[in-house]
Amino acid sequence: MLEPEITDFKHFIRLIGRGQRAGRSLTIQEAQQAMTMLINGEATPEQKGAFLMLLRVREETAEELAGFTLAFRAFNHSGLAGLNVDLDMGCYAGKRRHLPWFLLAAILLAQQGKRVFLHGTHEPDSKRLYLKEVLPHLGLSVSRSVEQAQGNLDNCGLAYMDLALLNPQLEEIIQLRDQFGLRSCANTLARMLNPSAAPYSLQGVFHRNVDIKHSETACLLNEKNVLCFRGEGGEIEFNPERDVSLHIARSGQAEVCEVSSATENWALKPKELVASYMLEVWRSDTTDHYAEQAIIGTLAIMLVLTEHLAWHIAIDQAKQYWSARNKVWPFELPKSPDALAFNTQGKFYAH
């Protein structure tokens, strides 16, 4: 039960908003209480905006993120934990420069017997290509219920659900970007959510040092197996053009795996992103060195996490899986897979 002096939400605004000398960050317990009150409507719209934007300016601590995560996990769809998932992947950044090659890595992992649960959303005015917009053009469905997710996992080892279905309270805060013009900590929390309660969680971020904060938060929460890295465009995708640090947290213990770039040549940014091009790469109808390195590297990261492999072993294993794949696309395609394209200025159009 909350103490009388902290039943009013403005107490938490005072704590974080008094400035560098008088203000302070929240403890895990305070952060959990504050976010629970916010979710339950115990803060006015003005208080909600002030709280989220003060955190945005000051940046959340690992303790605050841990408390916020606990608060939102209490509102996850209750049926998700029964899906028997191996790997949870939050896909919240969207893609702007390249197609979501991490999807092909996830499919390869699923073909090795792992059950992969993906979740994401669509942010207003982001001008990015989101996974749920790509899936239907590759013969993959967006799960609109826990039962559909169960069926997709059973049939192909992979399922995707929108955040609005699995945690509408968190989705509501993410969509406040339309009013704020800025992202809030909700985007970070969505990546940490692990709504399927999978034993392994893979997280991608964009900004420097945020991967470290994810690892610190995972340790505070004593997560079993979490891997966070700076992915291409902030997604859960290996960028073969850059060195990357893999921050791994296992049951409260943190470690870092340093990975060198896979290529010395920078790929040209494509003028348009067409989903069917992913099929051409899978079938080897075309050769795309960047795409193949992104797929193999992303799969290797998944293997480092789920199989506890050293990088040099994981990358060799990933190369073998890619080379040995059945090049017949495993999903039934719609009649017009090229119906939607996305140019790199952020506009959809008929192709």
Side-chain angles (χ1 to χ4, degrees), residues 82-136:
L83 291 176
N84 188 28
V85 171
D86 295 302
L87 177 62
D88 183 277
M89 298 169 58
C91 316
Y92 288 90
K95 299 302 293 292
R96 181 176 291 168
R97 291 179 55 87
H98 297 283
L99 284 160
W101 297 114
F102 66 87
L103 176 61
L104 300 191
I107 291 170
L108 280 170
L109 187 68
Q111 291 183 341
Q112 307 309 312
K114 298 294 185 184
R115 292 165 67 89
V116 183
F117 184 77
L118 305 102
H119 48 98
T121 191
H122 187 290
E123 289 189 48
D125 300 325
S126 68
K127 296 182 179 179
R128 286 175 176 264
L129 176 64
Y130 289 93
L131 187 61
K132 79 170 191 177
E133 296 158 335
V134 173
L135 293 174

Tab-separated table of all heavy atoms in Angstrom, residues 82-136:
chain	number	residue	atom	x	y	z
A	82	GLY	N	1.767	-18.406	-22.175
A	82	GLY	CA	1.553	-19.821	-22.459
A	82	GLY	C	1.905	-20.236	-23.867
A	82	GLY	O	1.614	-21.379	-24.274
A	83	LEU	N	2.561	-19.360	-24.624
A	83	LEU	CA	2.879	-19.666	-26.022
A	83	LEU	C	4.096	-20.564	-26.176
A	83	LEU	O	4.390	-21.018	-27.277
A	83	LEU	CB	3.115	-18.363	-26.799
A	83	LEU	CG	1.880	-17.479	-27.025
A	83	LEU	CD1	2.278	-16.182	-27.717
A	83	LEU	CD2	0.825	-18.224	-27.843
A	84	ASN	N	4.844	-20.778	-25.116
A	84	ASN	CA	6.030	-21.639	-25.167
A	84	ASN	C	7.029	-21.136	-26.207
A	84	ASN	O	7.396	-21.825	-27.151
A	84	ASN	CB	5.643	-23.090	-25.461
A	84	ASN	CG	6.822	-24.042	-25.330
A	84	ASN	OD1	7.761	-23.783	-24.572
A	84	ASN	ND2	6.784	-25.137	-26.068
A	85	VAL	N	7.472	-19.899	-26.005
A	85	VAL	CA	8.379	-19.227	-26.938
A	85	VAL	C	9.821	-19.377	-26.456
A	85	VAL	O	10.095	-19.344	-25.262
A	85	VAL	CB	8.013	-17.732	-27.049
A	85	VAL	CG1	9.054	-16.954	-27.829
A	85	VAL	CG2	6.628	-17.582	-27.693
A	86	ASP	N	10.747	-19.539	-27.400
A	86	ASP	CA	12.170	-19.590	-27.072
A	86	ASP	C	12.814	-18.209	-27.082
A	86	ASP	O	13.596	-17.879	-26.195
A	86	ASP	CB	12.915	-20.496	-28.066
A	86	ASP	CG	12.472	-21.942	-27.966
A	86	ASP	OD1	12.574	-22.523	-26.868
A	86	ASP	OD2	12.017	-22.485	-28.994
A	87	LEU	N	12.507	-17.416	-28.110
A	87	LEU	CA	13.170	-16.121	-28.303
A	87	LEU	C	12.145	-15.024	-28.517
A	87	LEU	O	11.293	-15.135	-29.401
A	87	LEU	CB	14.123	-16.177	-29.495
A	87	LEU	CG	14.836	-14.870	-29.877
A	87	LEU	CD1	15.722	-14.381	-28.740
A	87	LEU	CD2	15.652	-15.061	-31.148
A	88	ASP	N	12.229	-13.962	-27.712
A	88	ASP	CA	11.355	-12.802	-27.838
A	88	ASP	C	12.147	-11.672	-28.494
A	88	ASP	O	13.276	-11.375	-28.103
A	88	ASP	CB	10.866	-12.365	-26.453
A	88	ASP	CG	9.888	-11.205	-26.529
A	88	ASP	OD1	10.326	-10.048	-26.630
A	88	ASP	OD2	8.671	-11.478	-26.482
A	89	MET	N	11.550	-11.021	-29.501
A	89	MET	CA	12.229	-9.964	-30.243
A	89	MET	C	11.279	-8.783	-30.437
A	89	MET	O	10.251	-8.911	-31.093
A	89	MET	CB	12.694	-10.475	-31.612
A	89	MET	CG	13.704	-11.611	-31.530
A	89	MET	SD	14.018	-12.428	-33.124
A	89	MET	CE	14.577	-11.068	-34.135
A	90	GLY	N	11.626	-7.632	-29.851
A	90	GLY	CA	10.844	-6.425	-30.030
A	90	GLY	C	11.340	-5.640	-31.226
A	90	GLY	O	12.508	-5.234	-31.270
A	91	CYS	N	10.461	-5.396	-32.213
A	91	CYS	CA	10.837	-4.729	-33.466
A	91	CYS	C	10.169	-3.358	-33.511
A	91	CYS	O	9.097	-3.201	-34.093
A	91	CYS	CB	10.395	-5.560	-34.659
A	91	CYS	SG	10.733	-7.330	-34.503
A	92	TYR	N	10.791	-2.356	-32.910
A	92	TYR	CA	10.128	-1.072	-32.711
A	92	TYR	C	10.763	0.087	-33.460
A	92	TYR	O	10.186	1.173	-33.514
A	92	TYR	CB	10.059	-0.759	-31.212
A	92	TYR	CG	9.051	-1.632	-30.515
A	92	TYR	CD1	9.428	-2.860	-29.979
A	92	TYR	CD2	7.721	-1.265	-30.438
A	92	TYR	CE1	8.509	-3.690	-29.372
A	92	TYR	CE2	6.788	-2.083	-29.836
A	92	TYR	CZ	7.181	-3.297	-29.300
A	92	TYR	OH	6.259	-4.115	-28.714
A	93	ALA	N	11.927	-0.088	-34.025
A	93	ALA	CA	12.589	1.033	-34.688
A	93	ALA	C	12.038	1.300	-36.085
A	93	ALA	O	11.917	2.440	-36.516
A	93	ALA	CB	14.094	0.791	-34.759
A	94	GLY	N	11.685	0.221	-36.811
A	94	GLY	CA	11.338	0.375	-38.208
A	94	GLY	C	12.605	0.521	-39.043
A	94	GLY	O	13.696	0.741	-38.518
A	95	LYS	N	12.465	0.402	-40.361
A	95	LYS	CA	13.619	0.486	-41.244
A	95	LYS	C	13.459	1.674	-42.193
A	95	LYS	O	12.367	1.980	-42.654
A	95	LYS	CB	13.782	-0.815	-42.055
A	95	LYS	CG	14.013	-2.060	-41.212
A	95	LYS	CD	15.234	-1.971	-40.315
A	95	LYS	CE	16.531	-1.929	-41.071
A	95	LYS	NZ	16.882	-3.162	-41.762
A	96	ARG	N	14.577	2.301	-42.494
A	96	ARG	CA	14.570	3.434	-43.416
A	96	ARG	C	15.576	3.246	-44.557
A	96	ARG	O	15.300	3.574	-45.706
A	96	ARG	CB	14.893	4.729	-42.664
A	96	ARG	CG	14.885	5.976	-43.537
A	96	ARG	CD	15.116	7.221	-42.708
A	96	ARG	NE	13.979	7.494	-41.829
A	96	ARG	CZ	13.995	8.364	-40.839
A	96	ARG	NH1	15.099	9.026	-40.560
A	96	ARG	NH2	12.916	8.574	-40.112
A	97	ARG	N	16.733	2.700	-44.236
A	97	ARG	CA	17.787	2.550	-45.246
A	97	ARG	C	17.735	1.203	-45.948
A	97	ARG	O	18.070	1.096	-47.124
A	97	ARG	CB	19.159	2.718	-44.587
A	97	ARG	CG	19.468	4.125	-44.102
A	97	ARG	CD	20.836	4.163	-43.440
A	97	ARG	NE	21.882	3.649	-44.318
A	97	ARG	CZ	22.548	4.382	-45.196
A	97	ARG	NH1	22.280	5.674	-45.309
A	97	ARG	NH2	23.486	3.854	-45.951
A	98	HIS	N	17.351	0.174	-45.227
A	98	HIS	CA	17.393	-1.183	-45.765
A	98	HIS	C	16.136	-1.952	-45.386
A	98	HIS	O	15.421	-1.571	-44.455
A	98	HIS	CB	18.624	-1.935	-45.232
A	98	HIS	CG	19.924	-1.338	-45.630
A	98	HIS	ND1	20.463	-1.494	-46.889
A	98	HIS	CD2	20.797	-0.556	-44.943
A	98	HIS	CE1	21.624	-0.843	-46.958
A	98	HIS	NE2	21.844	-0.270	-45.789
A	99	LEU	N	15.885	-3.017	-46.103
A	99	LEU	CA	14.771	-3.911	-45.793
A	99	LEU	C	15.033	-4.625	-44.466
A	99	LEU	O	16.186	-4.707	-44.015
A	99	LEU	CB	14.597	-4.933	-46.919
A	99	LEU	CG	13.948	-4.398	-48.192
A	99	LEU	CD1	14.263	-5.298	-49.381
A	99	LEU	CD2	12.427	-4.275	-48.017
A	100	PRO	N	14.006	-5.168	-43.823
A	100	PRO	CA	14.189	-5.865	-42.543
A	100	PRO	C	14.790	-7.264	-42.734
A	100	PRO	O	14.104	-8.285	-42.621
A	100	PRO	CB	12.763	-5.927	-41.974
A	100	PRO	CG	11.880	-5.954	-43.178
A	100	PRO	CD	12.568	-5.066	-44.191
A	101	TRP	N	16.090	-7.289	-42.985
A	101	TRP	CA	16.761	-8.569	-43.226
A	101	TRP	C	16.766	-9.466	-41.989
A	101	TRP	O	16.927	-10.680	-42.097
A	101	TRP	CB	18.189	-8.306	-43.710
A	101	TRP	CG	18.256	-7.575	-45.007
A	101	TRP	CD1	18.739	-6.326	-45.243
A	101	TRP	CD2	17.774	-8.045	-46.284
A	101	TRP	NE1	18.597	-5.975	-46.555
A	101	TRP	CE2	18.009	-7.017	-47.227
A	101	TRP	CE3	17.166	-9.232	-46.716
A	101	TRP	CZ2	17.661	-7.137	-48.567
A	101	TRP	CZ3	16.811	-9.349	-48.049
A	101	TRP	CH2	17.068	-8.317	-48.963
A	102	PHE	N	16.573	-8.873	-40.817
A	102	PHE	CA	16.536	-9.681	-39.599
A	102	PHE	C	15.390	-10.698	-39.629
A	102	PHE	O	15.453	-11.719	-38.959
A	102	PHE	CB	16.418	-8.784	-38.362
A	102	PHE	CG	15.120	-8.029	-38.245
A	102	PHE	CD1	14.018	-8.593	-37.627
A	102	PHE	CD2	15.014	-6.731	-38.735
A	102	PHE	CE1	12.831	-7.884	-37.513
A	102	PHE	CE2	13.838	-6.016	-38.615
A	102	PHE	CZ	12.731	-6.599	-38.006
A	103	LEU	N	14.358	-10.418	-40.425
A	103	LEU	CA	13.246	-11.363	-40.528
A	103	LEU	C	13.709	-12.691	-41.126
A	103	LEU	O	13.293	-13.764	-40.681
A	103	LEU	CB	12.121	-10.768	-41.372
A	103	LEU	CG	10.934	-11.694	-41.645
A	103	LEU	CD1	10.255	-12.112	-40.353
A	103	LEU	CD2	9.943	-11.024	-42.594
A	104	LEU	N	14.577	-12.636	-42.141
A	104	LEU	CA	15.071	-13.862	-42.748
A	104	LEU	C	15.947	-14.634	-41.759
A	104	LEU	O	15.953	-15.865	-41.757
A	104	LEU	CB	15.846	-13.555	-44.027
A	104	LEU	CG	15.063	-12.842	-45.139
A	104	LEU	CD1	15.863	-12.855	-46.439
A	104	LEU	CD2	13.695	-13.473	-45.356
A	105	ALA	N	16.684	-13.923	-40.924
A	105	ALA	CA	17.467	-14.588	-39.880
A	105	ALA	C	16.552	-15.282	-38.885
A	105	ALA	O	16.821	-16.412	-38.449
A	105	ALA	CB	18.359	-13.578	-39.168
A	106	ALA	N	15.449	-14.626	-38.527
A	106	ALA	CA	14.491	-15.222	-37.597
A	106	ALA	C	13.844	-16.463	-38.197
A	106	ALA	O	13.609	-17.461	-37.499
A	106	ALA	CB	13.426	-14.196	-37.215
A	107	ILE	N	13.561	-16.411	-39.505
A	107	ILE	CA	12.986	-17.578	-40.180
A	107	ILE	C	13.970	-18.748	-40.167
A	107	ILE	O	13.602	-19.904	-39.908
A	107	ILE	CB	12.582	-17.214	-41.624
A	107	ILE	CG1	11.386	-16.245	-41.602
A	107	ILE	CG2	12.236	-18.462	-42.431
A	107	ILE	CD1	11.059	-15.650	-42.953
A	108	LEU	N	15.239	-18.457	-40.442
A	108	LEU	CA	16.260	-19.504	-40.394
A	108	LEU	C	16.360	-20.120	-39.007
A	108	LEU	O	16.487	-21.346	-38.865
A	108	LEU	CB	17.616	-18.933	-40.818
A	108	LEU	CG	17.859	-18.772	-42.310
A	108	LEU	CD1	19.139	-17.978	-42.542
A	108	LEU	CD2	17.957	-20.134	-42.988
A	109	LEU	N	16.304	-19.289	-37.976
A	109	LEU	CA	16.372	-19.807	-36.612
A	109	LEU	C	15.156	-20.673	-36.311
A	109	LEU	O	15.278	-21.744	-35.684
A	109	LEU	CB	16.462	-18.656	-35.615
A	109	LEU	CG	16.706	-19.066	-34.160
A	109	LEU	CD1	18.109	-19.651	-33.987
A	109	LEU	CD2	16.519	-17.869	-33.222
A	110	ALA	N	13.982	-20.248	-36.766
A	110	ALA	CA	12.769	-21.032	-36.563
A	110	ALA	C	12.864	-22.381	-37.262
A	110	ALA	O	12.363	-23.399	-36.747
A	110	ALA	CB	11.560	-20.252	-37.071
A	111	GLN	N	13.518	-22.410	-38.408
A	111	GLN	CA	13.676	-23.669	-39.132
A	111	GLN	C	14.632	-24.631	-38.431
A	111	GLN	O	14.669	-25.813	-38.766
A	111	GLN	CB	14.155	-23.391	-40.558
A	111	GLN	CG	13.103	-22.720	-41.427
A	111	GLN	CD	13.562	-22.504	-42.853
A	111	GLN	OE1	14.757	-22.519	-43.151
A	111	GLN	NE2	12.616	-22.293	-43.754
A	112	GLN	N	15.381	-24.111	-37.452
A	112	GLN	CA	16.256	-24.974	-36.644
A	112	GLN	C	15.534	-25.460	-35.384
A	112	GLN	O	16.155	-26.080	-34.522
A	112	GLN	CB	17.536	-24.228	-36.253
A	112	GLN	CG	18.284	-23.608	-37.412
A	112	GLN	CD	18.542	-24.584	-38.552
A	112	GLN	OE1	18.996	-25.701	-38.318
A	112	GLN	NE2	18.274	-24.141	-39.772
A	113	GLY	N	14.234	-25.161	-35.296
A	113	GLY	CA	13.445	-25.679	-34.188
A	113	GLY	C	13.132	-24.689	-33.083
A	113	GLY	O	12.455	-25.046	-32.113
A	114	LYS	N	13.592	-23.438	-33.202
A	114	LYS	CA	13.303	-22.431	-32.190
A	114	LYS	C	11.954	-21.772	-32.483
A	114	LYS	O	11.558	-21.610	-33.643
A	114	LYS	CB	14.395	-21.355	-32.154
A	114	LYS	CG	15.777	-21.872	-31.788
A	114	LYS	CD	15.834	-22.379	-30.362
A	114	LYS	CE	17.264	-22.778	-29.984
A	114	LYS	NZ	17.323	-23.365	-28.627
A	115	ARG	N	11.262	-21.390	-31.430
A	115	ARG	CA	9.990	-20.674	-31.548
A	115	ARG	C	10.248	-19.199	-31.258
A	115	ARG	O	10.690	-18.839	-30.158
A	115	ARG	CB	8.953	-21.263	-30.588
A	115	ARG	CG	8.532	-22.677	-30.991
A	115	ARG	CD	7.803	-23.372	-29.849
A	115	ARG	NE	6.520	-22.771	-29.528
A	115	ARG	CZ	5.356	-23.094	-30.087
A	115	ARG	NH1	5.323	-24.035	-31.032
A	115	ARG	NH2	4.226	-22.520	-29.710
A	116	VAL	N	9.981	-18.347	-32.263
A	116	VAL	CA	10.351	-16.939	-32.205
A	116	VAL	C	9.089	-16.080	-32.173
A	116	VAL	O	8.228	-16.193	-33.048
A	116	VAL	CB	11.225	-16.544	-33.414
A	116	VAL	CG1	11.658	-15.089	-33.297
A	116	VAL	CG2	12.440	-17.476	-33.526
A	117	PHE	N	9.007	-15.204	-31.185
A	117	PHE	CA	7.871	-14.291	-31.063
A	117	PHE	C	8.350	-12.865	-31.278
A	117	PHE	O	9.251	-12.387	-30.571
A	117	PHE	CB	7.221	-14.422	-29.689
A	117	PHE	CG	5.987	-13.577	-29.514
A	117	PHE	CD1	4.789	-13.961	-30.085
A	117	PHE	CD2	6.027	-12.400	-28.786
A	117	PHE	CE1	3.639	-13.185	-29.932
A	117	PHE	CE2	4.893	-11.614	-28.623
A	117	PHE	CZ	3.688	-12.015	-29.198
A	118	LEU	N	7.761	-12.193	-32.265
A	118	LEU	CA	8.121	-10.817	-32.579
A	118	LEU	C	6.947	-9.901	-32.258
A	118	LEU	O	5.787	-10.280	-32.429
A	118	LEU	CB	8.496	-10.674	-34.051
A	118	LEU	CG	9.606	-11.589	-34.582
A	118	LEU	CD1	8.989	-12.735	-35.378
A	118	LEU	CD2	10.578	-10.819	-35.454
A	119	HIS	N	7.247	-8.686	-31.827
A	119	HIS	CA	6.191	-7.717	-31.557
A	119	HIS	C	6.698	-6.320	-31.899
A	119	HIS	O	7.906	-6.062	-31.897
A	119	HIS	CB	5.739	-7.782	-30.094
A	119	HIS	CG	6.852	-7.793	-29.090
A	119	HIS	ND1	7.274	-6.659	-28.420
A	119	HIS	CD2	7.632	-8.809	-28.636
A	119	HIS	CE1	8.259	-6.982	-27.587
A	119	HIS	NE2	8.509	-8.271	-27.700
A	120	GLY	N	5.773	-5.439	-32.222
A	120	GLY	CA	6.165	-4.094	-32.617
A	120	GLY	C	4.964	-3.182	-32.713
A	120	GLY	O	3.859	-3.516	-32.280
A	121	THR	N	5.171	-2.009	-33.296
A	121	THR	CA	4.100	-1.036	-33.468
A	121	THR	C	4.421	-0.159	-34.663
A	121	THR	O	5.424	-0.364	-35.355
A	121	THR	CB	3.930	-0.182	-32.188
A	121	THR	OG1	2.726	0.577	-32.291
A	121	THR	CG2	5.105	0.764	-31.985
A	122	HIS	N	3.581	0.818	-34.904
A	122	HIS	CA	3.792	1.795	-35.973
A	122	HIS	C	3.709	3.170	-35.347
A	122	HIS	O	2.648	3.572	-34.852
A	122	HIS	CB	2.736	1.632	-37.068
A	122	HIS	CG	2.982	2.493	-38.269
A	122	HIS	ND1	2.839	3.866	-38.253
A	122	HIS	CD2	3.375	2.183	-39.531
A	122	HIS	CE1	3.125	4.357	-39.441
A	122	HIS	NE2	3.449	3.366	-40.238
A	123	GLU	N	4.804	3.907	-35.359
A	123	GLU	CA	4.821	5.227	-34.752
A	123	GLU	C	4.317	6.279	-35.739
A	123	GLU	O	4.634	6.220	-36.930
A	123	GLU	CB	6.232	5.600	-34.314
A	123	GLU	CG	6.729	4.822	-33.120
A	123	GLU	CD	8.045	5.400	-32.621
A	123	GLU	OE1	8.141	6.623	-32.458
A	123	GLU	OE2	8.978	4.619	-32.420
A	124	PRO	N	3.553	7.247	-35.235
A	124	PRO	CA	3.060	8.304	-36.131
A	124	PRO	C	4.198	9.174	-36.656
A	124	PRO	O	5.121	9.523	-35.927
A	124	PRO	CB	2.123	9.117	-35.225
A	124	PRO	CG	2.595	8.836	-33.824
A	124	PRO	CD	3.107	7.420	-33.848
A	125	ASP	N	4.119	9.481	-37.950
A	125	ASP	CA	5.046	10.420	-38.595
A	125	ASP	C	6.513	9.981	-38.532
A	125	ASP	O	7.412	10.822	-38.592
A	125	ASP	CB	4.917	11.820	-37.972
A	125	ASP	CG	3.511	12.381	-38.117
A	125	ASP	OD1	2.879	12.114	-39.155
A	125	ASP	OD2	3.053	13.066	-37.184
A	126	SER	N	6.775	8.702	-38.404
A	126	SER	CA	8.165	8.257	-38.299
A	126	SER	C	8.830	8.097	-39.667
A	126	SER	O	10.049	8.081	-39.768
A	126	SER	CB	8.241	6.929	-37.552
A	126	SER	OG	7.654	5.902	-38.325
A	127	LYS	N	8.026	7.944	-40.723
A	127	LYS	CA	8.536	7.747	-42.080
A	127	LYS	C	9.477	6.548	-42.144
A	127	LYS	O	10.553	6.606	-42.751
A	127	LYS	CB	9.227	9.018	-42.589
A	127	LYS	CG	8.294	10.208	-42.727
A	127	LYS	CD	9.001	11.428	-43.282
A	127	LYS	CE	8.042	12.601	-43.434
A	127	LYS	NZ	8.720	13.808	-43.964
A	128	ARG	N	9.057	5.472	-41.517
A	128	ARG	CA	9.837	4.238	-41.529
A	128	ARG	C	8.969	3.061	-41.972
A	128	ARG	O	7.738	3.101	-41.872
A	128	ARG	CB	10.415	3.950	-40.138
A	128	ARG	CG	11.581	4.867	-39.772
A	128	ARG	CD	12.050	4.634	-38.353
A	128	ARG	NE	13.228	5.446	-38.053
A	128	ARG	CZ	14.482	5.026	-38.142
A	128	ARG	NH1	14.721	3.780	-38.518
A	128	ARG	NH2	15.485	5.817	-37.857
A	129	LEU	N	9.628	2.036	-42.453
A	129	LEU	CA	8.961	0.814	-42.872
A	129	LEU	C	8.951	-0.153	-41.694
A	129	LEU	O	10.009	-0.534	-41.184
A	129	LEU	CB	9.707	0.199	-44.059
A	129	LEU	CG	9.194	-1.148	-44.572
A	129	LEU	CD1	7.781	-1.013	-45.125
A	129	LEU	CD2	10.133	-1.697	-45.648
A	130	TYR	N	7.767	-0.556	-41.268
A	130	TYR	CA	7.641	-1.433	-40.112
A	130	TYR	C	7.366	-2.874	-40.545
A	130	TYR	O	6.798	-3.121	-41.605
A	130	TYR	CB	6.543	-0.935	-39.175
A	130	TYR	CG	6.941	0.335	-38.450
A	130	TYR	CD1	6.616	1.589	-38.974
A	130	TYR	CD2	7.669	0.289	-37.274
A	130	TYR	CE1	6.999	2.756	-38.329
A	130	TYR	CE2	8.054	1.446	-36.622
A	130	TYR	CZ	7.715	2.674	-37.149
A	130	TYR	OH	8.101	3.822	-36.509
A	131	LEU	N	7.758	-3.793	-39.676
A	131	LEU	CA	7.701	-5.204	-40.021
A	131	LEU	C	6.298	-5.661	-40.393
A	131	LEU	O	6.117	-6.436	-41.332
A	131	LEU	CB	8.238	-6.039	-38.850
A	131	LEU	CG	8.408	-7.544	-39.115
A	131	LEU	CD1	9.392	-7.784	-40.241
A	131	LEU	CD2	8.857	-8.253	-37.850
A	132	LYS	N	5.294	-5.182	-39.671
A	132	LYS	CA	3.934	-5.653	-39.936
A	132	LYS	C	3.444	-5.258	-41.325
A	132	LYS	O	2.524	-5.873	-41.864
A	132	LYS	CB	2.974	-5.140	-38.866
A	132	LYS	CG	2.527	-3.707	-39.010
A	132	LYS	CD	1.398	-3.413	-38.026
A	132	LYS	CE	0.741	-2.077	-38.304
A	132	LYS	NZ	-0.406	-1.842	-37.393
A	133	GLU	N	4.062	-4.227	-41.926
A	133	GLU	CA	3.701	-3.825	-43.276
A	133	GLU	C	4.349	-4.725	-44.319
A	133	GLU	O	3.860	-4.835	-45.448
A	133	GLU	CB	4.112	-2.366	-43.506
A	133	GLU	CG	3.373	-1.394	-42.603
A	133	GLU	CD	4.091	-0.073	-42.414
A	133	GLU	OE1	5.322	-0.039	-42.562
A	133	GLU	OE2	3.409	0.911	-42.113
A	134	VAL	N	5.440	-5.376	-43.938
A	134	VAL	CA	6.163	-6.249	-44.859
A	134	VAL	C	5.602	-7.668	-44.851
A	134	VAL	O	5.503	-8.317	-45.900
A	134	VAL	CB	7.666	-6.270	-44.490
A	134	VAL	CG1	8.423	-7.293	-45.325
A	134	VAL	CG2	8.271	-4.886	-44.665
A	135	LEU	N	5.219	-8.153	-43.682
A	135	LEU	CA	4.835	-9.554	-43.511
A	135	LEU	C	3.797	-10.047	-44.521
A	135	LEU	O	3.998	-11.115	-45.127
A	135	LEU	CB	4.334	-9.789	-42.080
A	135	LEU	CG	5.373	-9.665	-40.969
A	135	LEU	CD1	4.701	-9.776	-39.602
A	135	LEU	CD2	6.454	-10.732	-41.113
A	136	PRO	N	2.679	-9.351	-44.739
A	136	PRO	CA	1.666	-9.883	-45.662
A	136	PRO	C	2.174	-10.081	-47.083
A	136	PRO	O	1.675	-10.945	-47.809
A	136	PRO	CB	0.557	-8.810	-45.613
A	136	PRO	CG	0.762	-8.106	-44.325
A	136	PRO	CD	2.242	-8.086	-44.118
